[in-house]
């Protein structure tokens, strides 16, 4: 993605189902779980570069010993930093007592991060500062193990004000008004209530205070706790948690917006945000890794019992389409195929944009995430060229000469790597003025790939969000090659609406498609539409019932075709000094659904939000835009 956006987070969970001695004997290391967790997190580094953390929990600890270990980092290389710190803590003990490596039970007692449960997290900050306090896993510890909670997640809730208010009504005093604190305290509240209820039950049954502790560990109803906690959540989420006594869970929102996968056998339970990383880490076939059902929780009890249980009522499923287009790693089997199909489906539009002049056109892509879509584009172009060659051969078969045949066979797409990304340059700096200074130098070009004044240049990106990098960097450097025409293609449709479920795209004024629609309204003297949508959006925000709220921002786009918006976008991203003609081609929404049939969460493109809170956020984002308030809409 040429315009980098902050998005998503990643989770990783491991529960060892055998004693540590088992892994030492079979795999030659008592750190089997820790090593696998390191790989799981490294393979998901694409999901978070603002921070990383890892928590470990030991089952059946001795009283008076630390049984929850946690390490977090917000350094420039957080995963590396976390594991360096953990290695240091381990080696401090092992260096003095190397015999512990052959004594798993003593190792578990004496050394940090040697327990049976691991919970890892990778953070892309979409809210709040990048302070260490905002890095997961977060904890809520108590002297009663059954009340201690460690939590990590990939989530954003749209109704945080409502949930925060309910905590206040319960008599709590949360230290911060954030998603993380609110969710932690909400789950913690119902965990406390479950403890209180069960404690009274066992006391009434005649159990001693000491014995009640063990009974609680067996009887805590984790499914009920999660069900009560999530009752009013509006948003996209995958959350994972560990209770101090050893129960653990991974839960996914009922709309299926955020992704989660898991695998378990007699040795291990593992969960992560992406299927491919589990396959890679444990060398598993595709079919053995399960997708966590929306509205369900993967629950692992202290005794090793594993179940997938519903915790809320079913809702219409709307998995995030952006996960498939950009966020998730392209090594997943289905995602790779879908991204290729996105590129292939652009072929008819691209051919029209170059007037079918294949011989005088060079095709390339914006590295690195658009590569898979580019492969699909090339396959589609090859198919087109094959059909043209076959037709010409059939038409000229009576008079075909070797020279003519050779000319026909040479008719194929010209493929070049025109743009080269400087991997040392990063474009996700928070302050726009600082970011702009770097953007212009993020990409280099390959000289000599274009015949000046003769060739068209078609270049594909996976999406075009702000258009900033295109205007300030990519189109400028491509124009240095002096192509006749530059066609910039997006394998995703026009991003028109804010996201509120885990991606930092909440300000409408950032979207080049929105800017284009506003400029079109002004060009046509229809500024009154902007005013009327503002008034309507304000009225929607005054509704008491979020279920009744309508997304009024759709009216901004209703007067224009996709092509009209794309043409205006091309003007926006073309600086005055650009010599080449510039055209922008976007994927259509129907073709996106054809390429990605199982992930229909297209809210960014259509404004069809899966939850009521999405409509609220969209209206609020427009109000913020109109009132010139540069702030998040949720």
């Amino acid at each position: 993605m040429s315009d980098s956006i902050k998005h998503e987070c990643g989770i990783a969970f491991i529960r060892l189902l055998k004693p540590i001695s088992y892994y030492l004997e079979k795999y030659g290391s008592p750190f089997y779980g820790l090593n696998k967790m390191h790989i799981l997190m490294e393979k998901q580094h694409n999901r978070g570069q603002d921070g990383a953390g890892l928590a470990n929990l030991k089952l059946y600890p001795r009283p008076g010993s630390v049984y929850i270990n946690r390490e977090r980092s917000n350094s420039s290389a957080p995963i590396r930093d976390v594991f360096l710190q953990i290695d240091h803590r381990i080696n401090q003990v092992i260096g003095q007592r190397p015999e512990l490596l052959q004594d798993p039970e003593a190792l578990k007692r004496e050394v940090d991060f040697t327990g049976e449960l691991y919970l890892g997290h990778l953070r892309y900050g979409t809210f709040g500062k990048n302070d260490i306090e905002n890095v997961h896993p977060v904890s809520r510890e108590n002297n009663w193990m059954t009340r201690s909670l460690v939590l990590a997640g990939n989530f954003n809730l749209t109704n945080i004000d409502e949930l925060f208010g309910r905590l206040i009504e319960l008599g709590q005093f949360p230290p911060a008004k954030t998603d993380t604190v609110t969710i932690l305290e909400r789950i913690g509240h119902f965990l406390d209530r479950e403890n209180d209820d069960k404690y009274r039950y066992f006391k009434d049954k005649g159990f001693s205070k000491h014995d009640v502790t063990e009974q609680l560990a067996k009887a805590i109803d984790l499914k009920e706790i999660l069900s009560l906690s999530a009752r009013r959540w509006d948003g996209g989420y995958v959350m994972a948690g560990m209770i101090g006594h050893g129960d653990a869970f991974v839960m996914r929102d009922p709309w299926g917006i955020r992704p989660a996968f898991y695998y378990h056998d007699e040795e291990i339970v593992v969960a992560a945000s992406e299927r491919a990383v589990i396959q890679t880490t444990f060398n598993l076939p595709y079919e053995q890794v399960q997708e966590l059902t929306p509205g369900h929780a993967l629950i692992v009890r202290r005794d090793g019992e594993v179940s997938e249980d519903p915790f809320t009522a079913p809702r219409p499923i709307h998995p995030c389409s952006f996960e498939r287009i950009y966020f998730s790693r392209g090594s997943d089997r289905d995602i790779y195929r879908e991204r290729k199909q996105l590129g292939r489906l652009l072929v008819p539009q691209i051919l029209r944009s170059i007037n079918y002049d294949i011989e005088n056109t060079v095709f390339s892509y914006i590295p690195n995430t658009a590569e898979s879509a580019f492969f699909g584009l090339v396959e589609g172009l090859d198919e087109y060229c094959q059909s043209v060659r076959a037709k010409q051969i059939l038409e000229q078969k009576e008079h075909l000469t070797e020279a003519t045949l050779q000319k026909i066979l040479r008719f194929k797409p010209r493929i070049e790597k025109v743009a080269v990304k400087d991997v040392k340059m990063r474009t996700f700096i928070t302050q726009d003025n600082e970011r702009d200074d770097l953007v212009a130098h993020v990409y280099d070009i390959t000289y000599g790939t274009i015949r000046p004044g003769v060739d068209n240049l078609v270049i594909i990106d996976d999406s075009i969000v702000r258009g900033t990098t295109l205007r300030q960097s990519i189109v400028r450097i491509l124009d240095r090659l002096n192509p006749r025409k530059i066609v910039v293609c997006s394998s995703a449709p026009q991003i028109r609406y804010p996201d509120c479920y885990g991606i930092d795209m909440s300000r409408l004024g950032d979207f080049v498609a929105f800017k284009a629609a506003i400029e079109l309204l002004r060009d046509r003297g229809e500024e009154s539409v902007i005013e009327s949508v503002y008034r309507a959006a304000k009225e929607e925000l005054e509704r008491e019932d979020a279920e009744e709220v309508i997304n009024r921002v759709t009216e901004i786009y209703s007067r224009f075709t996709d092509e009209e918006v794309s043409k205006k976008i091309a003007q926006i991203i073309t600086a005055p000094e650009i010599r080449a003609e510039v055209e922008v081609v976007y994927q259509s929404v129907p073709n996106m659904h054809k390429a990605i049939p199982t992930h229909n969460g297209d809210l960014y493109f259509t404004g069809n939000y899966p939850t009521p809170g999405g409509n609220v956020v969209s209206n609020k984002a427009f109000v913020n835009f109109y009132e010139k308030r540069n702030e998040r809409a949720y």
Side-chain angles (χ1 to χ4, degrees):
M1 183 180 292
S2 56
D3 283 318
S4 182
I5 58 174
K6 292 188 176 183
H7 63 86
E8 296 304 298
C9 289
I11 64 158
F13 168 79
I14 285 178
R15 164 64 197 275
L16 302 177
L17 297 176
K18 301 286 188 181
I20 306 301
S21 57
Y22 174 90
Y23 304 96
L24 173 61
E25 181 178 348
K26 182 171 181 178
Y27 298 105
S29 172
F31 302 111
Y32 174 80
L34 183 62
N35 292 335
K36 289 297 185 183
M37 178 57 73
H38 194 176
I39 299 171
L40 278 178
M41 292 178 68
E42 284 288 3
K43 291 298 180 182
Q44 293 185 101
H45 71 267
N46 55 298
R47 305 189 73 86
Q49 299 177 27
D50 288 341
L54 178 63
N56 177 246
L57 188 148
K58 301 180 182 184
L59 296 177
Y60 306 103
R62 291 181 176 180
S65 63
V66 175
Y67 62 94
I68 297 177
N69 301 129
R70 186 170 59 131
E71 196 67 68
R72 298 177 296 170
S73 173
N74 60 349
S75 71
S76 58
I79 301 175
R80 178 178 178 273
D81 190 38
V82 163
F83 282 91
L84 281 176
Q85 292 180 55
I86 291 172
D87 286 347
H88 177 70
R89 290 166 68 169
I90 291 174
N91 289 329
Q92 273 189 316
V93 181
I94 297 300
Q96 298 176 3
R97 300 177 59 190
E99 69 276 5
L100 290 176
L101 292 173
Q102 301 304 317
D103 188 347
E105 292 305 315
L107 184 77
K108 177 182 168 182
R109 289 195 306 269
E110 304 295 333
V111 180
D112 292 347
F113 289 93
T114 54
E116 293 86 349
L117 286 86
Y118 293 89
L119 178 56
H121 186 261
L122 301 117
R123 180 177 190 267
Y124 248 131
T126 60
F127 183 73
K129 298 178 180 179
N130 194 31
D131 297 331
I132 194 67
E133 290 80 9
N134 294 320
V135 179
H136 295 195
V138 292
S139 65
R140 188 178 190 266
E141 298 186 26
N142 192 286
N143 280 343
W144 290 71
M145 288 195 297
T146 52
R147 293 177 185 263
S148 290
L149 171 65
V150 181
L151 185 72
N154 167 18
F155 56 83
N156 267 337
L157 299 185
T158 68
N159 60 336
I160 195 67
D161 290 340
E162 174 194 349
L163 297 172
F164 186 84
R166 291 188 178 276
L167 288 177
I168 303 303
E169 291 173 7
L170 292 170
Q172 294 195 18
F173 191 86
K177 191 178 180 180
T178 65
D179 289 23
T180 299
V181 170
T182 303
I183 290 171
L184 179 69
E185 294 303 325
R186 187 167 176 84
I187 297 176
H189 167 76
F190 288 107
L191 178 61
D192 287 344
R193 199 171 84 173
E194 173 74 0
N195 272 271
D196 292 340
D197 292 345
K198 289 294 195 297
Y199 181 85
R200 286 191 295 267
Y201 172 81
F202 288 118
K203 282 292 293 179
D204 291 344
K205 288 290 186 180
F207 286 90
S208 69
K209 292 182 179 180
H210 179 272
D211 291 338
V212 165
T213 300
E214 180 60 25
Q215 296 302 318
L216 282 173
K218 295 177 180 178
I220 290 292
D221 189 342
L222 193 49
K223 176 185 172 182
E224 178 70 5
I225 293 168
L226 299 179
S227 180
L228 292 170
S229 301
R231 189 165 47 188
R232 291 185 173 87
W233 290 351
D234 184 301
Y237 56 85
V238 167
M239 300 177 203
M242 305 185 298
I243 314 300
H245 66 279
D247 284 358
F249 66 89
V250 180
M251 60 191 301
R252 186 183 183 196
D253 68 77
W255 302 275
I257 299 171
R258 301 271 70 85
F261 300 87
Y262 72 94
Y263 166 80
H264 78 91
D265 56 23
E266 71 281 355
E267 293 183 0
I268 198 166
V269 182
V270 57
S273 294
E274 300 191 31
R275 183 198 304 267
V277 302
I278 299 177
Q279 288 185 253
T280 300
T281 303
F282 294 92
N283 192 25
L284 297 169
Y286 175 94
E287 295 75 16
Q288 289 189 17
V289 181
Q290 305 298 313
E291 184 172 4
L292 182 57
T293 306
H296 284 59
L298 176 69
I299 295 178
V300 187
R301 298 303 303 270
R302 182 177 66 162
D303 62 6
E305 177 187 342
V306 181
S307 62
E308 184 181 353
D309 302 310
F311 64 86
T312 189
R315 300 292 184 95
I317 306 301
H318 292 282
C320 173
S321 55
F322 236 141
E323 276 285 347
R324 319 297 282 188
I325 296 169
Y326 171 61
F327 297 146
S328 294
R329 294 172 71 88
S331 55
D332 181 275
R333 184 191 73 179
D334 291 344
I335 291 174
Y336 178 66
R337 293 173 179 175
E338 291 164 3
R339 289 179 182 175
K340 287 183 66 178
Q341 184 67 357
L342 286 169
R344 182 190 296 268
L345 290 172
L346 282 171
V347 169
Q349 292 172 261
I350 291 172
L351 289 174
R352 289 194 295 270
S353 72
I354 62 172
N355 198 27
Y356 298 87
D357 187 4
I358 293 285
E359 292 176 305
N360 295 310
T361 301
V362 169
F363 299 90
S364 192
Y365 63 97
I366 303 293
N368 294 321
T369 54
E371 188 175 30
S372 299
F374 179 68
F375 289 155
L377 171 64
V378 171
E379 288 182 1
L381 291 168
D382 279 336
E383 290 176 2
Y384 168 75
C385 290
Q386 288 173 20
S387 67
V388 171
R389 292 195 298 265
K391 182 180 179 181
Q392 290 179 347
I393 289 172
L394 289 174
E395 288 176 347
Q396 302 181 43
K397 61 181 180 180
E398 301 295 334
H399 310 285
L400 199 60
T401 65
E402 182 176 350
T404 304
L405 180 60
Q406 289 293 338
K407 181 180 178 181
I408 292 173
L409 294 177
R410 284 195 298 270
F411 182 73
K412 59 183 180 180
R414 295 165 56 196
I415 310 302
E416 301 287 357
K417 189 170 183 178
V418 171
V420 181
K421 189 169 186 179
D422 186 342
V423 295
K424 295 181 180 179
M425 303 289 286
R426 304 174 71 194
T427 63
F428 40 85
I429 291 175
T430 303
Q431 299 298 320
D432 287 342
N433 58 344
E434 296 176 8
R435 186 176 183 273
D436 292 348
D437 289 337
L438 289 177
V439 159
H441 302 285
V442 169
Y443 292 91
D444 293 327
I445 51 171
T446 306
Y447 293 96
T449 53
I450 300 291
R451 292 177 297 180
V454 177
D455 289 333
N456 304 308
L457 174 58
V458 174
I459 193 153
I460 187 171
D461 198 353
D462 49 32
S463 59
I464 302 171
V465 185
R466 302 180 179 93
T468 306
T469 308
L470 283 172
R471 180 180 174 89
Q472 296 181 355
S473 178
I474 294 174
V475 173
R476 288 175 185 269
I477 64 170
L478 295 180
D479 192 57
R480 295 176 189 174
L481 297 173
N482 197 22
R484 182 159 49 97
K485 182 178 184 180
I486 299 172
V487 182
V488 181
C489 308
S490 169
S491 65
Q494 296 168 5
I495 298 170
R496 297 179 167 192
Y497 300 92
D499 176 66
C500 49
Y501 304 125
I503 307 164
D504 189 19
M505 298 197 307
S506 64
R507 289 178 286 268
L508 278 171
D510 289 344
F511 304 151
V512 69
F514 180 77
K515 292 177 183 176
I518 294 296
E519 286 194 18
L520 285 171
L521 288 171
R522 289 169 175 161
D523 290 347
R524 299 180 182 185
E526 297 181 5
E527 292 94 335
S528 61
V529 173
I530 304 172
E531 171 70 25
S532 65
V533 170
Y534 168 69
R535 290 196 303 268
K538 290 276 284 187
E539 291 176 4
E540 294 295 333
L541 293 176
E542 293 172 359
R543 293 183 185 271
E544 293 185 2
D545 187 355
E547 297 280 351
E548 298 178 356
V549 174
I550 299 170
N551 180 12
R552 294 297 186 181
V553 184
T554 58
E555 299 168 29
I556 292 293
Y557 300 99
S558 62
R559 288 164 169 74
F560 313 116
T561 65
D562 292 353
E563 290 72 22
E564 287 173 324
V565 176
S566 293
K567 185 175 180 180
K568 177 57 72 171
I569 290 172
Q571 295 174 13
I572 291 173
I573 67 169
T574 304
E577 66 272 18
I578 300 301
R579 296 165 295 175
E581 177 188 353
V582 177
E583 184 176 348
V584 176
V585 172
Y586 278 93
Q587 186 70 264
S588 69
V589 172
N591 274 350
M592 182 192 71
H593 287 312
K594 187 184 296 184
I596 311 175
T598 60
H599 284 65
N600 61 351
D602 59 6
L603 60 105
Y604 327 97
F605 317 115
T606 65
N608 296 327
Y609 290 92
T611 79
N615 292 329
V616 173
V617 168
S618 185
N619 288 323
K620 189 174 181 181
F622 188 83
V623 169
N624 287 345
F625 160 77
Y626 188 89
E627 296 178 352
K628 296 181 173 57
R629 290 190 291 169
N630 186 27
E631 60 187 52
R632 296 166 88 246
Y634 60 97

